Amino acid sequence: MTQRLPEADNAAGVLYVVATPIGNLGDMVPRAIEALQSASVIAAEDTRHSARLLAHFSITTQAVAYHEHSGPERTEQLLARLQAGETVALISDAGTPLVSDPGYRLVRAARQAGIRVVPIPGACALVAALSAAGLPSDRFAFEGFLPSKSGARRATLAALAAESRTLIFYEAPHRILATLQDIAEVVGPERELVLARELTKTFETLRGGPVAALAEWVAGDSDQQRGEIVLLMRGAPAKKSGDLDAEAERVMGVLLEELPVKQAASIGARLTGLKKNRLYQWALDRE
């Protein structure tokens, strides 16, 4: 039995955060259709892009643009409608709003104003990719889009290289090859990666393997440099209990080049804040 959507009262409206398909229109849930049909207005990331979706489901509700370039006045306009008792449905170009999407500004404003915010779940590219990737999914982190410039991208990857959780990124098709090459050089050519492309669409592709091999495959097939792309990277192996972080290892390495183990451990403890006995044992294990 389908539960009816909550209705707005005269005191305040309801903001629906509505997930839409990421490709296959068959993934639209009935509750989402009802919300869009019954809303006073639809706040869409791109009204032209969403027109096909709305037409397919015979949704005639007025749509207004709400995207990253919308000024605060658009948020205020939508908030005023909510406060007047109207319902607003928020959608993105595809998938779940607020995931790599600026809709949080409206959601935050509505919540601060005491407006009821109702999520209507559905498709989400990162969750769909994770569910089929075969990588550990008990702990994962979504990093959105990596920086577009190689230098900044490499710096970000270096900061994430030791992360033990599965990492998920979105990537633009024209940058995918350069990004894979940067991952291979910064994180290591053998790090396991899964490339999920055009999920739920005609040319859906999921392929996994060492990142260097994936980069070679993408370089040799221009079709893999098209469409919507999700990258999933296996986390770094967990450090053993006796391992040190990179900076502590660097300090101890320098000290051990000049000093006996006991003295290096003593000085290293003062420099790193770690226990002298731990550094001493670490040095002995290296010999």
Side-chain angles (χ1 to χ4, degrees):
M1 180 176 178
T2 302
Q3 184 178 359
R4 297 292 296 176
L5 293 164
E7 295 183 0
D9 56 36
N10 291 328
V14 177
L15 173 61
Y16 296 116
V17 182
V18 183
T20 56
I22 57 177
N24 191 321
L25 294 179
D27 293 335
M28 187 76 162
V29 300
R31 190 162 169 248
I33 298 172
E34 183 184 352
L36 296 180
Q37 288 174 333
S38 64
S40 305
V41 64
I42 297 170
E45 187 176 1
D46 185 332
T47 55
R48 292 171 298 180
H49 181 90
S50 297
R52 174 173 168 263
L53 173 77
L54 301 181
H56 181 83
F57 292 105
S58 301
I59 297 167
T60 58
T61 307
Q62 176 199 17
V64 298
Y66 190 76
H67 47 71
E68 61 181 333
H69 302 298
S70 297
E73 64 278 0
R74 178 48 58 88
T75 300
E76 293 168 6
Q77 291 166 2
L78 293 169
L79 186 61
R81 297 185 70 161
L82 287 163
Q83 291 172 322
E86 295 186 35
T87 58
V88 175
L90 176 67
I91 63 174
S92 65
D93 282 350
T96 301
L98 278 71
V99 179
S100 283
D101 169 81
Y104 75 90
R105 295 196 299 259
L106 179 58
V107 171
R108 183 174 179 82
R111 290 179 58 81
Q112 289 177 335
I115 302 295
R116 184 178 180 189
V117 179
V118 177
I120 300 184
C124 179
L126 75 91
V127 174
L130 181 64
S131 71
L135 295 177
S137 56
D138 54 333
R139 298 175 66 245
F140 61 91
F142 175 59
E143 290 290 328
F145 284 90
L146 287 164
S148 58
K149 295 186 177 179
S150 183
R153 185 165 59 239
R154 286 169 173 257
T156 298
L157 289 168
L160 294 171
E163 172 60 62
S164 62
R165 294 172 294 179
T166 295
L167 293 172
I168 306 174
F169 308 96
Y170 287 165
E171 191 51 279
H174 65 278
R175 291 198 300 264
I176 183 60
L177 180 56
T179 293
L180 291 173
Q181 292 170 339
D182 282 347
I183 293 174
E185 292 185 22
V186 174
V187 180
E190 296 303 315
R191 181 69 68 91
E192 184 181 1
L193 220 71
V194 173
L195 185 151
R197 188 180 68 86
E198 292 289 87
L199 292 175
T200 80
K201 301 174 185 175
T202 302
F203 298 105
E204 177 180 273
T205 303
L206 283 106
R207 180 155 176 158
V211 60
L214 278 181
E216 184 177 350
W217 172 64
V218 169
D221 184 353
S222 61
D223 285 341
Q224 305 310 320
Q225 300 175 46
R226 300 175 182 173
E228 305 290 333
I229 296 171
V230 184
L231 285 178
L232 305 97
M233 183 168 75
R234 189 181 186 95
K239 284 183 173 291
K240 297 178 182 178
S241 59
D243 286 350
L244 306 179
D245 60 41
E247 178 60 17
E249 286 192 10
R250 187 190 68 80
V251 169
M252 286 299 296
V254 172
L255 292 173
L256 288 168
E257 289 179 358
E258 306 292 337
L259 301 171
V261 171
K262 186 175 182 179
Q263 191 175 357
S266 179
I267 296 174
R270 296 202 300 270
L271 292 173
T272 65
L274 298 175
K275 296 289 188 180
K276 179 173 66 175
N277 289 346
R278 180 182 175 188
L279 297 177
Y280 182 80
Q281 186 59 53
W282 177 86
L284 291 180
D285 291 343
R286 289 178 75 244
E287 294 180 349

